[in-house]
Amino acid sequence: MHLTIDGTIEDTQLTGEDGCYTWTDLDPLDDDSYYDASEEVPAGWTATSPTAVAFESPPQSGASYQADFTNFEN
């Protein structure tokens, strides 16, 4: 998983065994900035949903955002 701010990768993490990862305590952004979350689809897998999502700009303080990425093994 990648977390980007304004299109620049800020953090990369592996998901847990359950396929999930959560970023917490993110800093507020300027009004014209945005967070994206994206995934890298591993070899042998096919994405069945978009592989990136842009969150509300600007993100609201204290808000929770979620993205689901769906894949199947070839």
Side-chain angles (χ1 to χ4, degrees):
M1 300 301 306
H2 300 292
L3 178 70
T4 63
I5 298 174
D6 298 334
T8 301
I9 295 175
E10 295 292 324
D11 191 38
T12 299
Q13 298 291 330
L14 293 175
T15 60
E17 288 185 21
D18 62 357
C20 295
Y21 186 79
T22 301
W23 282 280
T24 59
D25 299 325
L26 298 175
D27 292 330
L29 299 175
D30 297 332
D31 286 349
D32 58 347
S33 293
Y34 59 92
Y35 283 109
D36 284 345
S38 62
E39 69 166 342
E40 288 184 29
V41 179
W45 290 75
T46 299
T48 59
S49 66
T51 58
V53 64
F55 295 105
E56 183 178 346
S57 180
Q60 300 299 306
S61 179
S64 177
Y65 300 92
Q66 178 176 326
D68 294 315
F69 302 104
T70 308
N71 306 291
F72 72 90
E73 190 171 13
N74 298 334

